[in-house]
Amino acid sequence: MYIYVNGEYVKPEDAQISIFDHGFMYGLGVFETFRIYDGHPFLVDDHFHRLSRSLEQLSVQWNWNKDDILGVLNTLIEKNNLQNAYVRWNVSAGVGPLGLQIDPYEKPSTIVYVKPIPESMSTVKRGVILKTERNTPEGNERLKSHHYLNNIIGKKEIGSDPNVEGIFLTKEGFLAEGIVSNLFWVKDNIVYTPTVKTGILNGVTRQFIMALLHQLGIECKEGYYESVELYKADEAFVTNSIQEVVSLSEVDGKTNYNSLTSLSAKLQKHYSILRKQLNSRNELYKKELS
């Protein structure tokens, strides 16, 4: 496999960054994960809008345009003989002196990884409320940053079973998000999801699903909710950019969701059509859905 590192396409064993890169030293970096479907990078505009906005908050000067981005993606899928791929696009602050820096970073490191998508992934998982609390964001909002220790601790709690997703609560006891996903549930034909004010990541797929629900005429409410609301739901599902929409069969053994006639199945059906078409969720408003 080839990866992109600061202007070069190299084998993983030949990839190098400086030990003084502040992304390594202080976790000062952000990334996006997304999928390419038959050569089309789904929601590419939304992912890179978030990436650029996050880097701006970190005072990292990164001035790539869409042509630059698509050029790297096209070259990577060609070199790796892929048409369907998992992509992680990573930008870290770049080299700096020992010590915390307040000046802008002018030469960030850009690394792009790709790999094949597994032939099959779980479409149904079991939910588990974690004992590990969701930590609060480092700033005003949670960035998709290198700070992943909280997620790793949560993952260690549930183990390596790919059919289980851990669900964080905030320290106040409100539902937050999955270890690698955003959380939704349905009660009486209304969809609920935790507000971003709980400190969750405002996932690109989360925003897309909320836009899709709007286009389908399905009400979606954001707020502060306790676990009992999830236990009483008619169904629940989680979302992320790699696994798309995943039904939850149950949560903590206290539920018995029916995933065979679920809203999540309907959303996944629309997702499977739109994922080869859209560059941004905003394009949804130009489409008629049924």
Side-chain angles (χ1 to χ4, degrees):
M1 298 296 289
Y2 287 90
I3 61 175
Y4 173 91
V5 183
N6 291 330
E8 298 183 344
Y9 299 90
V10 298
K11 293 285 190 178
E13 59 269 24
D14 298 323
Q16 297 182 353
I17 61 169
S18 169
I19 61 170
F20 292 102
D21 190 302
H22 280 202
F24 164 70
M25 296 181 71
Y26 303 113
L28 198 66
V30 293
F31 67 99
E32 293 290 329
T33 53
F34 55 94
R35 284 178 63 169
I36 293 176
Y37 298 88
D38 290 343
H40 176 73
F42 183 48
L43 300 182
V44 63
D45 292 350
D46 294 352
H47 281 287
F48 283 93
H49 174 74
R50 182 173 68 174
L51 182 78
S52 296
R53 186 165 50 84
S54 298
L55 290 169
E56 185 177 345
Q57 291 184 51
L58 298 177
S59 297
V60 176
Q61 297 178 0
W62 191 77
N63 300 313
W64 287 48
N65 60 39
K66 188 172 180 179
D67 288 340
D68 298 330
I69 292 162
L70 294 179
V72 168
L73 293 175
N74 289 334
T75 300
L76 280 174
I77 61 175
E78 180 180 352
K79 282 183 169 291
N80 290 296
N81 194 28
L82 297 171
Q83 280 296 296
N84 298 284
Y86 167 112
V87 180
R88 172 172 165 142
W89 192 295
N90 195 94
V91 182
S92 63
V95 174
L98 281 173
L100 301 182
Q101 178 173 321
I102 61 172
D103 294 331
Y105 291 88
E106 298 179 351
K107 295 182 179 180
S109 296
T110 300
I111 304 172
V112 188
Y113 314 78
V114 297
K115 67 178 182 180
I117 288 291
E119 291 186 6
S120 62
M121 289 188 286
S122 298
T123 57
V124 180
K125 294 190 178 188
R126 191 164 51 83
V128 175
I129 300 293
L130 297 168
K131 295 182 177 65
T132 305
E133 296 175 350
R134 191 58 168 127
N135 64 341
T136 55
E138 291 80 11
N140 293 329
E141 63 178 315
R142 188 176 300 279
L143 306 182
K144 196 171 179 69
S145 75
H146 292 183
H147 296 273
Y148 249 59
L149 182 57
N150 190 222
N151 303 66
I152 293 169
I153 293 171
K155 182 63 177 176
K156 286 180 178 293
E157 184 179 327
I158 63 170
S160 59
D161 189 341
N163 297 313
V164 178
E165 175 65 318
I167 298 169
F168 286 112
L169 303 179
T170 68
K171 67 178 181 179
E172 295 84 8
F174 295 117
L175 289 162
E177 60 189 339
I179 294 173
V180 292
S181 64
N182 286 119
L183 174 67
F184 295 83
W185 64 94
V186 185
K187 183 66 176 177
D188 297 331
N189 298 316
I190 298 175
V191 179
Y192 297 86
T193 190
T195 174
V196 293
K197 294 178 182 178
T198 59
I200 64 173
L201 179 72
N202 193 8
V204 167
T205 305
R206 174 185 186 270
Q207 296 175 66
F208 169 73
I209 290 299
M210 293 175 71
L212 180 55
L213 289 168
H214 177 80
Q215 282 300 93
L216 292 170
I218 299 171
E219 185 177 4
C220 182
K221 293 184 176 181
E222 299 177 78
Y224 296 93
Y225 306 104
E226 297 182 352
S227 301
V228 65
E229 301 298 326
L230 186 57
Y231 297 148
K232 294 190 302 183
D234 299 322
E235 66 171 289
F237 56 93
V238 294
T239 63
N240 71 27
S241 295
I242 304 303
Q243 299 177 25
E244 305 176 347
V245 181
V246 178
S247 296
L248 294 181
S249 59
E250 49 100 347
V251 177
D252 287 347
K254 299 181 180 181
T255 56
N256 187 24
Y257 301 139
N258 183 356
S259 60
L260 297 179
T261 58
S262 65
L263 174 61
S264 57
K266 182 177 183 178
L267 294 173
Q268 183 62 65
K269 180 180 178 181
H270 284 288
Y271 200 112
S272 66
I273 297 170
L274 296 166
R275 66 192 185 185
K276 297 180 182 180
Q277 302 175 11
L278 302 186
N279 294 306
S280 170
R281 67 183 181 279
N282 294 327
E283 296 170 9
L284 265 177
Y285 301 116
K286 302 176 184 177
K287 293 185 173 291
E288 292 186 7
L289 305 175
S290 59

